[in-house]
Amino acid sequence: MSDRHEVTVLRLPAEGAPILGEREATDVIGDAFGHGATWVVVPAARFEDDFFRLSTRVAGGIVQKFVNYRVGLAVVGDISRHTAVSTALRDFVRECNRGGELWFLADEAEFDAKLAARTAGV
């Protein structure tokens, strides 16, 4: 848990149960609410491969939960092995990173920079 740029952020550790679907996403959102967080940073390793295969709709279900509860989600870490084989995923990542609810970022430093720019109105 940390406050960054006047935003409370729940940061999940790399170790821990995988986020397999909507049920686990709802648990994470509940933890965020319990800490007053409006953003959650999750290491990419906490998601199973199905999350990165858009045809499974796992990512869509998880993302929709975060959007419905108005909690931002940042997936941090190297997902290049997934984007290398999926044009659809590359396009999805690019579009998400243009928005303000779901970001796919290399690391937490990139998250902090993006959050700083967002809160500064850039």
Side-chain angles (χ1 to χ4, degrees):
M1 181 64 59
S2 65
D3 288 328
R4 304 301 280 175
H5 312 288
E6 301 179 17
V7 175
T8 303
V9 178
L10 175 64
R11 296 172 189 267
L12 298 187
E15 315 76 39
I19 300 171
L20 301 171
E22 293 178 38
R23 182 179 57 213
E24 293 83 5
T26 302
D27 290 344
V28 171
I29 292 165
D31 288 346
F33 282 165
H35 290 95
T38 56
W39 272 90
V40 177
V41 175
V42 181
R46 294 283 297 265
F47 294 100
E48 296 289 315
D49 287 348
D50 280 351
F51 177 84
F52 299 101
R53 283 193 289 272
L54 298 181
S55 63
T56 66
R57 299 178 186 236
V58 171
I62 290 171
V63 169
Q64 192 61 52
K65 287 288 180 191
F66 278 86
V67 169
N68 288 348
Y69 288 100
R70 294 189 170 114
V71 175
L73 173 62
V75 178
V76 296
D78 182 10
I79 63 168
S80 61
R81 72 180 178 97
H82 300 290
T83 57
V85 297
S86 174
T87 301
L89 180 60
R90 278 193 307 271
D91 293 344
F92 178 69
V93 167
R94 185 176 51 251
E95 288 302 314
C96 289
N97 285 344
R98 289 181 181 162
E101 298 169 334
L102 171 63
W103 297 333
F104 291 86
L105 305 166
D107 53 35
E108 290 197 33
E110 188 177 358
F111 169 76
D112 288 340
K114 193 164 178 84
L115 188 61
R118 180 175 184 235
T119 57
V122 176

